[in-house]
Amino acid sequence: MSYSSNVAQDSLAAAQLEMAGNPNALALRRPFDPVAHDLEASFRLTRFADLKGRSCKVPQDVLGKLVESLQQDYSQQEQDQFMHVAIPRIGIGLDCSVTPLRHGGLCLVQTTDFFYPLVDDPYMMGKIACANVLSDLYAMGVTECDNMLMLLGVSTKMTEKERDVVIPLIMRGFKDSALEAGTSVTGGQTVINPWCTIGGVATTICQPNEYIVPDNAVMGDVLVLTKPLGTQVAVNAHQWLDQPERWNRIKLVVSEEDVRKAYHRAMDSMSRLNRIAARLMHKYNAHGSTDVTGFGLLGHAQNLASHQKNEVSFVIHNLPVIAKMAAVAKACGNMFQLLQGHAPETSGGLLICLPREQAAAYCKDIEKQEGYQAWIIGIVEKGNRTARIIDKPRVIEVPAKD
Amino acid sequence: MSYSSNVAQDSLAAAQLEMAGNPNALALRRPFDPVAHDLEASFRLTRFADLKGRSCKVPQDVLGKLVESLQQDYSQQEQDQFMHVAIPRIGIGLDCSVTPLRHGGLCLVQTTDFFYPLVDDPYMMGKIACANVLSDLYAMGVTECDNMLMLLGVSTKMTEKERDVVIPLIMRGFKDSALEAGTSVTGGQTVINPWCTIGGVATTICQPNEYIVPDNAVMGDVLVLTKPLGTQVAVNAHQWLDQPERWNRIKLVVSEEDVRKAYHRAMDSMSRLNRIAARLMHKYNAHGSTDVTGFGLLGHAQNLASHQKNEVSFVIHNLPVIAKMAAVAKACGNMFQLLQGHAPETSGGLLICLPREQAAAYCKDIEKQEGYQAWIIGIVEKGNRTARIIDKPRVIEVPAKD
């Protein structure tokens, strides 16, 4: 890591243009207009990568095979090394790694994530990337992040002008989101890459009671989801507004206005922090949680189920989806696999196992504090640590925020 | 972060082929032979990126401008927040970030780095990437790493077969190097990317006396370098053995045998940890250090000089270079800028400010412990926080290890 610094103080002009004077007043922000930055009207950030957001993940089974080489040696030797401490070592397979430290009962909770642009507004892209990285901490019930690093790949295909407009805006969005989370970005790495890349590292040092090991689901628990599905469908549909042959495939089920609303709902949702959702996990005695990202709702549900101590399975009955996006997904045939639970999400909600009697109160509390709904989407029953969606799940249409 | 796990235990076959039964006995390792893995004889890992190693860095001045947007707000507000602790906040501009923690006088020292393949042996590439990330910690005098994450980009251009051979070997190399450093890899992120990418995150939680803030050089100090320069020249020259038109440019000054030796010396050097170099910094009262990577010796020297509390400058007289690589660089005209101090290095040595009377003992001690030379390459004089190389620096030819 080696960010140099002694350069004139003028690079924020572009970013400040966007802010309408108040960096935190997102409501006041004008949407990104390439022309206002002397870029071509046709400039689209999403064109600087062939994959979008979390759909860049290496398939789950392939990845599993590849990381075998990392796992197999965290064996007896490693375990023994930590036997003198009461903190279990948590590694590959969950949202964060948890490492016991040399110092007084503390542990290190850490995660990293990076991906490709999936919205065309660079500032929002930065916010989404930051929210997405932090989400792994929140999934473990950790609400305080001590430090963030930023990982950036500047596309080889960007002109200098494009780079100088777009990269500071991405950085600013990332940083504003970090500030909103009560943390800050102290460094990172920036490289040149064919595709534009954005991501980061989030780190917390905490007491063991600050995180929730997500392995404690019991029969009778219910599953709560804190954000709607369909972000990937929404960003794709929005891109198709520019592509008549694609648009023709979906225009019978959705209007331009519907797509624009869904796109903004998706951006709003992806840039929202799961921090309050995490805080309330402690208040309502959550038994475990994961965040829904590149492997889709079912992929992450299955992964969470596989880590349970008890012989339980997850059954999902309800699918809250950004309004009209279920219809778009259906109109596209098997492409998204949204209702099958396989559509990748970016910076999705937390999927939480909660005691049945606390779940409604959890949902009510989150709505009261944030003005966003959460949904009970399924149940935990006796089983062999798998997850499934029922045959005809109920789709809950989640409207755009006003 | 989300590495899944429940997959059959057979993916290490390829990696184990390489190990001759003992993963730590590097000396026993056969070099990577694509054919032994059922890959084409012409398979070259370095072809999966158009840039090599640390030459992928965004230029120093451009980067400085871009990160302005991160820096400007670590202002009074942030400073105040930490005023109750005695630990200074160290951010962008140095090798690591140092963040005071909520818990008992501890601080978080953290760094990240990633880049592209620059050698064709996947296992060695993994080792080099790991040593390179750790090197930022070592540059701050931190000798214990508490946790590592791995960042991988699997090239879109790799066949499945190539991927399944190469990626486990890279991971294994990375992990072996982490074990050698007394730490382990607990997670990471793997994405699909046009270019193959490899890197990581290194994190330590420590007492303030475990790190050395690199701002304390005084007039009369000398500069020590712990690894030879010329890694980038060596890996390029080695690649040119396959490219007659390139090879013709340098064959008058160097033999094939010289180039192969230099390439192995470079791999050996890049995969060597700077850990003992860091440990000895404490013993011999170093006043500050940085590691030499993508911006070249002079770029990093200048950055270190610019952070000094005292009005000093660095003057470099000697350039230790892997044998014959200075001649190769000269034969290539201005291409590498090696003797001007601008040739990028990957996982280079530490450049350390040491009290004059301790420097020789430092060099002797490191040679005794590791069998590798270190060199006094310059002096610290009164000045305005800049660094330069004298007009005709002495080139020290550093031979291959036997």
Side-chain angles (χ1 to χ4, degrees), chain B residues 38-72:
Chain B
D38 284 338
L39 300 183
E40 299 287 323
S42 62
F43 177 87
R44 296 286 182 277
L45 185 58
T46 46
R47 295 211 183 123
F48 292 92
D50 295 349
L51 291 172
K52 268 194 200 50
R54 292 306 303 263
S55 55
C56 64
K57 290 289 286 183
V58 173
Q60 210 165 3
D61 54 337
V62 174
L63 189 59
K65 202 171 66 171
L66 296 178
V67 299
E68 282 294 307
S69 58
L70 281 179
Q71 291 203 275
Q72 64 145 30

Side-chain angles (χ1 to χ4, degrees), chain B residues 161-175:
Chain B
K161 173 80 189 157
E162 287 170 345
R163 180 193 71 195
D164 290 350
V165 167
V166 164
I167 301 297
L169 284 169
I170 292 177
M171 287 179 167
R172 162 64 63 163
F174 193 95
K175 192 188 151 219

Side-chain angles (χ1 to χ4, degrees), chain A residues 178-397:
Chain A
L179 288 177
E180 189 185 331
T183 185
S184 54
V185 183
T186 62
Q189 161 78 328
T190 302
V191 299
I192 296 164
N193 193 56
W195 294 353
C196 185
T197 316
I198 165 101
V201 180
T203 302
T204 292
I205 288 79
C206 65
Q207 311 279 0
N209 65 359
E210 292 182 58
Y211 65 85
I212 298 168
V213 182
D215 63 356
N216 211 20
V218 298
M219 248 198 304
D221 278 356
V222 298
L223 301 170
V224 165
L225 182 66
T226 68
K227 290 184 186 178
L229 306 170
T231 54
Q232 192 77 9
V233 181
V235 299
N236 275 283
H238 183 256
Q239 205 166 11
W240 296 346
L241 292 175
D242 290 343
Q243 301 169 23
E245 75 288 4
R246 296 282 208 156
W247 178 246
N248 287 337
R249 285 169 62 184
I250 59 170
K251 70 177 180 189
L252 289 178
V253 299
V254 76
S255 72
E256 275 198 39
E257 178 63 13
D258 291 334
V259 167
R260 285 188 211 285
K261 273 190 183 164
Y263 179 67
H264 284 101
R265 181 66 160 97
M267 278 211 284
D268 181 57
S269 180
M270 293 186 290
S271 62
R272 177 181 156 216
L273 298 176
N274 283 321
R275 194 179 188 199
I276 288 171
R279 200 175 285 148
L280 294 177
M281 281 168 56
H282 292 270
K283 181 170 174 188
Y284 295 99
N285 303 308
H287 290 150
S289 156
T290 190
D291 68 329
V292 177
T293 59
F295 300 131
L297 175 65
L298 188 58
H300 291 283
Q302 283 168 337
N303 190 50
L304 185 62
S306 75
H307 282 88
Q308 296 310 306
K309 284 186 302 198
N310 302 313
E311 291 185 343
V312 292
S313 279
F314 299 164
V315 185
I316 294 166
H317 296 259
N318 302 327
L319 299 176
V321 178
I322 294 171
K324 311 281 183 179
M325 293 304 105
V328 169
K330 274 186 201 157
C332 296
N334 265 333
M335 177 179 168
F336 290 107
Q337 297 257 311
L338 178 67
L339 303 185
Q340 291 73 41
H342 299 303
E345 305 289 339
T346 298
S347 192
L350 298 188
L351 175 69
I352 312 170
C353 304
L354 279 162
R356 182 187 296 266
E357 61 282 9
Q358 312 250 37
Y362 178 96
C363 294
K364 228 175 264 170
D365 207 341
I366 207 169
E367 185 162 7
K368 192 177 128 203
Q369 291 197 40
E370 292 195 277
Y372 288 92
Q373 264 195 292
W375 301 268
I376 295 176
I377 66 161
I379 56 171
V380 176
E381 47 178 51
K382 190 169 163 55
N384 54 355
R385 302 187 180 86
T386 56
R388 66 183 176 91
I389 297 175
I390 61 165
D391 241 8
K392 295 197 171 149
R394 183 167 71 99
V395 173
I396 302 169
E397 294 275 317

Side-chain angles (χ1 to χ4, degrees), chain A residues 1 3 74 93 116 136 185 192, chain B residues 1 3 74 93 116 136 185 192:
Chain A
M1 187 171 75
Y3 272 158
Y74 295 122
Y116 305 109
D136 286 326
V185 183
I192 296 164
Chain B
M1 186 171 78
Y3 272 155
Y74 294 123
Y116 306 109
D136 286 326
V185 183
I192 297 165

Side-chain angles (χ1 to χ4, degrees), chain A residues 35-294:
Chain A
V35 177
H37 294 275
D38 285 338
L39 300 182
E40 298 288 322
S42 61
F43 177 87
R44 295 286 181 277
L45 185 58
T46 46
R47 296 214 182 119
F48 291 93
D50 295 347
L51 292 172
K52 269 193 200 47
R54 293 305 305 261
S55 55
C56 65
K57 290 287 289 184
V58 173
Q60 209 166 5
D61 56 335
V62 173
L63 189 60
K65 201 170 70 172
L66 296 177
V67 298
E68 281 295 306
S69 58
L70 282 179
Q71 290 204 274
Q72 64 146 28
D73 286 1
Y74 295 122
S75 50
Q76 218 41 53
Q77 187 196 347
E78 294 275 320
Q79 306 280 347
D80 292 351
Q81 199 181 327
F82 292 107
M83 264 185 58
H84 62 288
V85 288
I87 306 169
R89 187 176 183 78
I90 298 176
I92 293 158
L94 295 172
D95 294 309
C96 294
S97 69
V98 179
T99 308
L101 293 175
R102 297 167 286 152
H103 301 282
L106 294 171
C107 49
L108 170 66
V109 182
Q110 200 164 36
T111 184
T112 181
D113 214 339
F114 58 96
F115 53 65
Y116 305 109
L118 80 168
V119 299
D120 285 313
D121 184 324
Y123 176 80
M124 289 306 292
M125 190 58 236
K127 286 200 69 143
I128 292 166
C130 185
N132 185 68
V133 176
L134 286 167
S135 184
D136 286 326
L137 290 187
Y138 298 144
M140 301 278 283
V142 171
T143 58
E144 298 300 321
C145 174
D146 286 317
N147 192 43
M148 296 196 78
L149 305 174
M150 189 167 57
L151 308 171
L152 262 182
V154 179
S155 173
T156 46
K157 296 174 197 91
M158 276 189 189
T159 64
E160 256 183 59
K161 173 79 189 158
E162 287 170 344
R163 181 193 71 196
D164 290 351
V165 167
V166 164
I167 301 298
L169 285 169
I170 292 176
M171 287 179 167
R172 161 65 61 162
F174 193 94
K175 193 190 150 216
D176 280 354
S177 179
L179 288 177
E180 189 185 331
T183 185
S184 54
V185 183
T186 62
Q189 161 78 328
T190 302
V191 299
I192 296 164
N193 193 56
W195 294 353
C196 185
T197 316
I198 165 101
V201 180
T203 302
T204 292
I205 288 79
C206 65
Q207 311 279 0
N209 65 359
E210 292 182 58
Y211 65 85
I212 298 168
V213 182
D215 63 356
N216 211 20
V218 298
M219 248 198 304
D221 278 356
V222 298
L223 301 170
V224 165
L225 182 66
T226 68
K227 290 184 186 178
L229 306 170
T231 54
Q232 192 77 9
V233 181
V235 299
N236 275 283
H238 183 256
Q239 205 166 11
W240 296 346
L241 292 175
D242 290 343
Q243 301 169 23
E245 75 288 4
R246 296 282 208 156
W247 178 246
N248 287 337
R249 285 169 62 184
I250 59 170
K251 70 177 180 189
L252 289 178
V253 299
V254 76
S255 72
E256 275 198 39
E257 178 63 13
D258 291 334
V259 167
R260 285 188 211 285
K261 273 190 183 164
Y263 179 67
H264 284 101
R265 181 66 160 97
M267 278 211 284
D268 181 57
S269 180
M270 293 186 290
S271 62
R272 177 181 156 216
L273 298 176
N274 283 321
R275 194 179 188 199
I276 288 171
R279 200 175 285 148
L280 294 177
M281 281 168 56
H282 292 270
K283 181 170 174 188
Y284 295 99
N285 303 308
H287 290 150
S289 156
T290 190
D291 68 329
V292 177
T293 59

